[in-house]
Amino acid sequence: MYFVISGRDRPDALETRKETRAAHLAYWQDLGDQLKLAGPYLDENGNPTGSLIIIDVPSMTAARTYAESDPYVTQGVFESVGVTEWNWAINPPENK
């Protein structure tokens, strides 16, 4: 099952984001093939304002556990984070 994790940064979180970035990237890369795609939302100046992460895990519980343990969550970068089940309808990797 695919899940979208969408985090939005606190307005004053840019420095903490920079300091936590390596841990955040390593955390998600540890998922291996279960991590389908990820990247930051950007403002008009190209500064990150949040993150979009899509993972393939067996349940909403697993997806929420991954989201809640993200260093951007535990270190207070994200002001909010949502987890939503997602259907990859166009060009899913299973069809390639």
Side-chain angles (χ1 to χ4, degrees), residues 77-95:
V77 173
F78 289 157
E79 180 174 61
S80 65
V81 64
V83 180
T84 306
E85 187 173 351
W86 181 64
N87 179 30
W88 197 329
I90 298 174
N91 295 327
E94 294 84 14
N95 292 340

Side-chain angles (χ1 to χ4, degrees), residues 2-86:
Y2 294 113
F3 294 90
V4 173
I5 299 167
S6 180
R8 292 296 182 163
D9 292 6
R10 290 187 340 234
D12 61 345
L14 185 57
E15 287 307 312
T16 306
R17 173 184 265 275
K18 290 177 183 177
E19 294 165 2
T20 311
R21 186 172 188 267
H24 165 78
L25 294 176
Y27 174 78
W28 289 107
Q29 288 171 345
D30 280 350
L31 272 177
D33 290 343
Q34 289 178 290
L35 174 65
K36 297 306 176 184
L37 62 92
Y41 298 118
L42 303 174
D43 68 13
E44 62 278 354
N45 297 313
N47 294 314
T49 61
S51 298
L52 173 76
I53 302 157
I54 298 179
I55 59 175
D56 182 6
V57 296
S59 67
M60 176 63 82
T61 300
R64 285 189 178 136
T65 298
Y66 281 114
E68 291 166 3
S69 299
D70 181 342
Y72 280 177
V73 172
T74 62
Q75 298 303 307
V77 173
F78 289 157
E79 180 174 61
S80 65
V81 64
V83 180
T84 306
E85 187 173 351
W86 181 64

